[in-house]
């Protein structure tokens, strides 16, 4: 059965009396080559376990199961569970779990697989919840090797931007703190049913095994990043002042200059290493005042 064939997708959905659920971001892939490309490129080791988020009717799941040791697929829509049982009946290395990834206890679910070898994530993510899912995966501190996600191209551009780029946002620096993103390829909207309004891109993130950046205080580091991008049109001292009420604007200017930046600089010009330097200095100054 070709699970990317539009006629087959419609037949399978009809067989189980299902409609595409917009509230779950259900846009299923209709191009075998795209599915195979994602499966080929999401990970380097055949002995890996792949956590798939949102298997849909199982097109990507099946390709992953052919290439990797295990696939654990989390699907929120209980209506799709019997469909997956049907479409994946011959894939004995796939475990389908009917759960919302945002509520799932990934540590417990994945512990037996981490004990066996590397684990990576691969997903054609629902648009409505891309960033929260990505943040959950990154903040979980689970030692994933790669996270490969298909997302809106506009979000992909933000994730893969370089400092100074107009697409650069807080998420760019946060992501680069955890790993190295790479924009692999674009998939136009006509490769999905129903077709979304925008094109998608596949981004692969190689997680740092050892973090190259070590801020003294992670909370201050993330707060500094958030503050620097919150009001994009403001200069850095003004943006920081609106979040770090513990410090005066004069003190913040002093800190910025001490770190080697012009006080007129904007947050989007800074990279992860700059945010470490800046947040370490802010943290030290706040501590001194206590
Ligand atoms: N993997 C399939 C494909 O590529 O054709 C379907 C991808 S579709 C964009 C997103 C899938 O994620 C849907 O099957 C949807 O039901 C599922 N989903 C949406 N929100 C979810 C959540 N919070 N947890 C788990 N799955 C979710």
């Amino acid at each position: 059965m070709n699970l990317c064939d539009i006629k087959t997708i419609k037949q399978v959905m009809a067989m189980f009396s299902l409609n595409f659920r917009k509230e779950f971001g259900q846009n299923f892939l209709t191009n075998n080559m795209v599915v195979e490309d994602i499966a080929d490129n999401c990970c380097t080791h055949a002995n890996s376990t792949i956590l798939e988020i949102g298997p849909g009717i199982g097109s990507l799941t099946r390709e992953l199961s052919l290439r990797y040791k295990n696939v654990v697929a989390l699907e929120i829509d209980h209506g799709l569970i019997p469909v997956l049982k049907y479409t994946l009946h011959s894939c004995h290395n796939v475990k389908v779990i009917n759960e919302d990834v945002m509520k799932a206890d990934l540590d417990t679910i994945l512990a037996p697989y981490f004990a066996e070898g590397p684990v990576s994530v691969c997903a054609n993510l629902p648009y409505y919840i891309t960033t929260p899912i990505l943040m959950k995966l990154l903040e979980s501190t689970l030692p994933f090797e790669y996270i490969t996600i298909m997302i809106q191209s506009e979000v992909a551009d933000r994730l893969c931007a370089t400092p100074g780029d107009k697409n650069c946002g807080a998420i760019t620096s946060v992501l680069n703190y955890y790993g190295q993103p790479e924009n692999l390829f674009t998939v136009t909207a006509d490769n999905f049913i129903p077709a979304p309004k925008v094109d998608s891109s596949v981004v692969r993130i190689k997680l740092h095994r050892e973090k190259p950046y070590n801020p003294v205080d992670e909370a201050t580091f993330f707060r500094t990043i958030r503050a620097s991008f919150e009001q994009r049109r403001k200069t850095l001292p003004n943006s920081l002042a609106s979040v770090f009420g513990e410090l005066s604007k004069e003190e913040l200017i002093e800190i910025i200059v001490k770190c080697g930046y012009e006080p007129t600089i904007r947050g989007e010009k800074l990279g992860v290493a700059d945010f470490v330097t800046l947040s370490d200095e802010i943290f030290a100054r706040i501590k001194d005042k206590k």
Side-chain angles (χ1 to χ4, degrees), residues 3-4 9 21 23-30 35 38 52-61 74-77 80 97 99-103 123-129 133 150 192-193:
L3 294 175
C4 286
I9 296 173
R21 294 184 68 172
E23 73 272 30
F24 291 149
Q26 290 180 353
N27 304 97
F28 297 160
L29 275 162
T30 57
V35 172
I38 298 172
E52 188 191 7
I53 298 160
I57 65 162
S59 52
L60 178 59
T61 324
L74 296 188
E75 174 54 61
I76 195 172
D77 183 357
L80 287 171
I97 302 174
E99 258 198 82
D100 176 347
V101 64
M102 294 309 293
K103 295 186 185 148
N124 171 11
L125 284 182
Y127 287 166
Y128 78 101
I129 198 176
I133 293 177
M150 175 136 78
F192 300 85
I193 180 168

Side-chain angles (χ1 to χ4, degrees), residues 3 19 50 77 92 117 176-177 183 205 207 216 243 249 276:
L3 294 175
N19 292 312
I50 307 293
D77 183 357
H92 303 294
N176 278 275
Y177 175 64
N183 197 331
I205 303 152
L207 279 309
V216 175
V243 168
K249 198 175 149 195
V276 172

Side-chain angles (χ1 to χ4, degrees), residues 5 10 63 66 68 88 99 138 162 174 193 198 214 245:
D5 173 56
K10 285 183 178 166
E63 293 304 321
L66 293 173
Y68 303 102
L88 303 174
E99 258 198 82
L138 295 173
T162 41
V174 171
I193 180 168
V198 291
N214 293 297

